[in-house]
Amino acid sequence: MPTLVLDREYFVNVFRDMLPFVDKESEHLQQLDSAIGDGDHGINLTIGFREVTKQLDTINEDAADISTIFKKVGMLLLGKVGGSSGPLYGSFFMKAGKDVTGKNEVTFDEFCGMLLNGIESIQLRGKAELGDKTMIDAFLPGAEVLKQDSPEDPVEKFTAFVEAMKEGAESTIPLIAKKGRAMRLGERAIGHKDPGAESAWMMMEVFLNRLKEAVSA
Ligand code: ADP
Ligand code: MG
C-alpha cells in the first residue's frame, strides 16, 4: 500500500463535519456534564464549531498551509468558548499544526505527530494527569497507540487510537475528579463518565470517518 498522504481538503472536510457532529451529540454531552459539571459542555462545543463553520471558507482561502488552518481553528475555539474545554481544545488544534508549517499535505505519520503535539499541549495547559477524570484519560491511552509504528493500514491504527480513547473515557466512570468542575463533587462524581473524555474520542472519530474515505478514494 502506498504511503497515505492527507491534503488540506481532508482537514477542511473534518472541520466542516465537526458542527453536525457536535449538534448530534450535544444532548448526550450535556447530560454527562449535568451529572458532574454545569451542563454546558455540548453547548460550548456547539458555540465553538458554529464559529469555525462560519469562518471555514475564509480561513481556507486565506491560509497558506495546513498549519495556519489548524492555528485559526484553535484560536476561534480558544476565543469563543467560555468553558474550560474551549482553551484546552483550542490549544490542541493550535499546537497540532506547529510542525507542518508550509505544508499543504502531510503523511499519515506526520498526522499522528500533529495529534501527539496537540495532546501534549492539553496536558501542558490543563496540568491533568492520568486518572484525574478529564479528557486526558482518553487522550493519553490514545497517544500510546499513536506512538507505535504505523501498520500497513492507517485506518487500522487510527481505529485502534479511537478505541483506546473510548476505553479511556469509560475508565473515568469509577474515578473521583482531581481537575475541573467535577472536583467539587468528591465521591459523588463516582459512577459518571467525564464529558470531556467522551467528546474527545468522539471528535477523533470524525477524523477517522474522513480517513476511511481518504483511503478508499
Ligand atoms: P466547564 O468545566 O468550564 O464547564 P466544559 O463543560 O466545556 O467546561 O468542559 C468540561 C471538561 O473539561 C471536563 O469534562 C474535562 O474533561 C475537561 N477539563 C476540565 N479541566 C481540565 C484540565 N485541567 N485538564 C484537562 N481537561 C480538563
Ligand atoms: Mg461544563
Side-chain angles (χ1 to χ4, degrees):
M1 191 182 282
T3 308
L4 175 65
V5 172
L6 299 165
D7 59 13
R8 60 190 275 157
E9 218 43 51
Y10 165 77
F11 295 105
V12 170
N13 284 335
V14 167
F15 288 131
R16 219 182 287 289
D17 288 347
M18 285 294 180
L19 183 61
F21 149 72
V22 290
D23 270 346
K24 184 163 67 73
E25 298 299 338
S26 182
E27 210 176 296
H28 169 58
L29 296 172
Q30 213 75 353
Q31 276 167 5
L32 294 181
D33 198 32
S34 295
I36 58 165
D38 55 356
D40 64 354
H41 189 54
I43 292 273
N44 285 341
L45 293 180
T46 304
I47 292 171
F49 283 107
R50 197 176 284 154
E51 197 59 32
V52 168
T53 302
K54 214 196 266 175
Q55 300 202 26
L56 194 58
D57 286 337
T58 316
I59 290 173
N60 191 22
E61 277 160 29
D62 295 349
D65 52 21
I66 291 170
S67 178
T68 313
I69 295 174
F70 270 77
K71 198 188 286 172
K72 289 270 167 66
V73 167
M75 281 167 66
L76 281 179
L77 294 180
L78 200 118
K80 295 283 172 187
V81 182
S84 44
S85 62
L88 293 168
Y89 281 134
S91 68
F92 174 84
F93 288 114
M94 281 170 69
K95 293 294 186 242
K98 79 179 170 78
D99 289 342
V100 295
T101 308
K103 293 190 179 184
N104 278 307
E105 46 181 47
V106 298
T107 64
F108 178 67
D109 282 342
E110 283 173 324
F111 174 41
C112 292
M114 290 169 70
L115 296 176
L116 283 170
N117 284 337
I119 294 168
E120 189 183 67
S121 83
I122 291 184
Q123 229 189 344
L124 278 174
R125 189 176 266 263
K127 310 258 181 312
E129 304 287 345
L130 196 69
D132 285 354
K133 200 176 180 99
T134 71
M135 57 176 72
I136 283 298
D137 291 337
F139 275 122
L140 286 190
E144 288 312 309
V145 176
L146 292 179
K147 284 176 194 162
Q148 291 162 15
D149 286 341
S150 295
E152 280 278 291
D153 180 5
V155 171
E156 189 186 313
K157 177 169 175 173
F158 213 83
T159 303
F161 162 61
V162 174
E163 275 305 312
M165 286 191 65
K166 193 173 176 178
E167 281 168 27
E170 293 293 322
S171 81
T172 64
I173 295 174
L175 299 175
I176 292 174
K178 302 214 181 63
K179 283 277 182 298
R181 245 175 242 283
M183 239 168 84
R184 301 180 211 154
L185 290 179
E187 295 199 343
R188 278 180 293 145
I190 293 174
H192 301 284
K193 200 190 302 193
D194 178 65
E198 185 82 337
S199 65
W201 78 258
M202 289 180 157
M203 273 166 66
M204 295 304 111
E205 195 171 54
V206 178
F207 281 92
L208 174 61
N209 290 338
R210 283 283 177 180
L211 192 72
K212 287 177 184 165
E213 206 181 274
V215 166
S216 62

